[in-house]
Amino acid sequence: MVRRKAAIKGQFVHPINFADLGLSPVLFEIGPFALRWYSISYIVGIIFGWWYFTKLTKQPGAPCSSKHVDDYVTWLTLGVILGGRIGYVMFYDFGTFAADPLKVLRLWEGGMSFHGGFLGVMVATAWFCRANGITLVRFLDFLAVSFPPALGFVRLANFVNGELWGKPTDGSWGIIFPAADALPRHPSQLYEAVLEGPVLWAILLTLFWKTDARYRPGLLAGVFGLGYGSFRFIVEFYREPDSQLVAFAEATGLHMGQWLSLPLIIAGLWLILSSGSRRAKAGL
């Protein structure tokens, strides 16, 4: 096992070995059925977001009722699952998908893309709002405040799975992921879990509860897009690119996740800067 100097007292310490943490991606198995933490993270995230969205609709300025939120959850779930899976095979595994199109249906093999899920949710949300006469951008503001915890849950599940590890590090917090090699690596899953979950949520909660942001259509949704996109872009510098996209990262200078985050950052900035004019038009 690799030995390296501790940052404190000049002593030598062993890096943490992921295998020693005793984490398993499976909570329990019954015959051929296995309940995985990754699946649980999506379920818990959606249920929590549903509950908090309902809570927000009871506040002044809500664009919809709690009944609308109850109806919307089915649309949201389909958008996340279908968009996330299709996005993964298109953005991260297109070569395999082209050779075997039915791969997109094999959800049990794993592989979900945030950016694909985001697009799926946007399509489902636009469709839902149009069908129910709800102002899309104001609905997105309340949606944005409700679901950052779900992102944190999924990133924690990535860590439990021992996947999406970071680049090698000399830091005392490095972790050896046996599925990668014997080098201590950045636990980039945990970086993303903290930034995309509690940090982003704290920013949005402060804006929602302590300011008049909810009355500036697009501001909260814009902060979500800018915040998530920026956090993801930064953390990708400490994360190894997917093995099948190493050549892409070397050729373009950025990871696929960074390229996909740039539109989110740009859209977020636009929504923030234009929120004042939307407020005036809406008479809020």
Side-chain angles (χ1 to χ4, degrees):
M1 184 177 290
V2 178
R3 299 181 71 203
R4 52 203 171 86
K5 288 184 178 180
I8 301 175
K9 297 182 180 180
Q11 296 177 343
F12 281 91
V13 299
H14 291 296
I16 298 171
N17 191 315
F18 180 80
D20 294 337
L21 298 178
L23 300 175
S24 170
V26 178
L27 177 59
F28 66 80
E29 295 181 80
I30 301 177
F33 174 78
L35 182 60
R36 297 178 177 274
W37 286 109
Y38 193 68
S39 300
I40 294 173
S41 69
Y42 276 91
I43 294 170
V44 172
I46 290 174
I47 292 175
F48 180 88
W50 178 7
W51 168 77
Y52 202 78
F53 199 164
T54 301
K55 176 182 173 69
L56 296 184
T57 60
K58 302 183 187 304
Q59 304 306 312
C64 63
S65 67
S66 57
K67 177 62 169 60
H68 284 122
V69 179
D70 293 343
D71 295 339
Y72 170 70
V73 169
T74 299
W75 298 61
L76 171 72
T77 303
L78 289 174
V80 168
I81 294 175
L82 295 178
R85 182 60 179 164
I86 293 172
Y88 177 80
V89 298
M90 294 298 292
F91 298 144
Y92 294 94
D93 202 15
F94 184 74
T96 303
F97 168 72
D100 182 14
L102 292 179
K103 182 178 177 64
V104 71
L105 302 177
R106 296 199 286 272
L107 298 176
W108 58 89
E109 293 183 358
M112 295 283 281
S113 161
F114 166 81
H115 297 93
F118 179 82
L119 289 175
V121 168
M122 290 301 98
V123 171
T125 304
W127 196 350
F128 175 81
C129 287
R130 182 173 182 179
N132 289 276
I134 298 172
T135 303
L136 174 61
V137 70
R138 300 203 65 233
F139 190 88
L140 289 176
D141 282 337
F142 280 63
L143 180 66
V145 180
S146 304
F147 282 93
L151 303 181
F153 295 153
V154 171
R155 291 307 180 195
L156 288 176
N158 289 145
F159 180 76
V160 172
N161 285 348
E163 61 187 3
L164 306 182
W165 48 75
K167 294 179 180 179
T169 178
D170 289 329
S172 59
W173 56 88
I175 296 178
I176 296 174
F177 293 93
D181 48 35
L183 297 176
R185 293 178 173 274
H186 286 283
S188 54
Q189 317 94 322
L190 299 182
Y191 301 167
E192 291 189 78
V194 172
L195 292 173
E196 297 169 11
V199 172
L200 182 56
W201 199 36
I203 294 170
L204 289 165
L205 289 179
T206 300
L207 289 172
F208 186 91
W209 294 106
K210 301 297 183 180
T211 75
D212 67 346
R214 77 183 80 163
Y215 298 107
R216 297 180 60 183
L219 176 59
L220 293 168
V223 170
F224 176 89
L226 175 62
Y228 176 87
S230 299
F231 290 150
R232 177 71 182 270
F233 192 90
I234 293 169
V235 173
E236 287 282 343
F237 285 115
Y238 300 93
R239 176 175 159 180
E240 286 284 10
D242 292 64
S243 58
Q244 69 273 23
L245 292 175
V246 172
F248 173 87
E250 292 175 348
T252 65
L254 295 175
H255 295 187
M256 176 63 80
Q258 291 174 306
W259 285 111
L260 294 174
S261 293
L262 287 176
L264 270 178
I265 294 172
I266 295 170
L269 283 171
W270 175 75
L271 284 170
I272 292 170
L273 295 175
S274 58
S275 62
S277 62
R278 282 192 218 90
R279 177 176 185 171
K281 290 179 181 178
L284 295 172

